């Protein structure tokens, strides 16, 4: 989830009368391989992927269940994963975060 959406979700939740724990996040399901694909496309690079098939296997993907916050506050992220990653890459490039 892009930081702008995260802040809006936290503020909306803080200003509400909701007292129970509630998820904020993106319901956009993405695998690690899909995340790497997106990063490669944005950066214009191709990474070498190495897989250790003997290692313990985790979940295939992660996503947040945000039905409750959608129902109670009408909130959901407005910025898709790819768009947020593109904005982040542009920020990294313009701030020149590379080591000297």
């Amino acid at each position: 989830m892009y930081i702008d959406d995260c802040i809006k979700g936290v503020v909306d939740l803080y200003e509400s009368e909701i007292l129970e724990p509630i998820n904020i996040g993106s319901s956009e399901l993405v695998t690690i391989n899909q995340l790497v694909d997106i990063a490669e496309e944005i950066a214009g690079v191709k990474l070498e992927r190495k897989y250790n098939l003997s290692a313990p296997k985790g979940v295939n993907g992660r996503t947040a269940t945000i039905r409750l916050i959608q129902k109670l506050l009408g909130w959901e992220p407005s910025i898709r994963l790819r768009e947020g990653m593109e904005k982040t890459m542009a920020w990294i490039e313009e701030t020149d975060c590379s080591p000297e």
Side-chain angles (χ1 to χ4, degrees):
M1 178 173 45
Y2 192 66
I3 188 64
D4 293 0
D5 284 330
C6 184
I7 291 169
K8 173 128 178 47
V10 169
V11 169
D12 287 357
L13 192 55
Y14 175 77
E15 291 176 345
S16 76
E17 295 182 16
I18 299 171
L19 300 176
E20 63 191 275
I22 191 168
N23 283 337
I24 62 169
S26 172
S27 59
E28 191 174 354
L29 178 63
V30 62
T31 66
I32 294 299
N33 278 329
Q34 290 169 324
L35 186 63
V36 173
D37 289 342
I38 295 167
E40 287 176 331
E41 290 171 14
I42 293 169
V45 299
K46 188 68 177 162
L47 302 173
E48 179 183 349
R49 300 179 195 190
K50 295 182 181 180
Y51 301 92
N52 181 352
L53 300 177
S54 65
K57 188 171 183 169
V59 297
N60 289 328
R62 293 222 181 259
T63 186
T65 302
I66 61 168
R67 285 187 293 258
L68 188 56
I69 197 166
Q70 287 171 318
K71 177 182 170 188
L72 297 176
L73 296 180
W75 181 92
E76 63 183 297
S78 63
I79 300 170
R80 305 271 307 163
L81 175 65
R82 182 182 184 92
E83 180 186 354
M85 289 177 66
E86 288 170 347
K87 288 180 177 208
T88 301
M89 177 61 96
W91 175 81
I92 290 168
E93 289 174 345
E94 70 187 38
T95 57
D96 190 27
C97 295
S98 58
E100 295 184 28

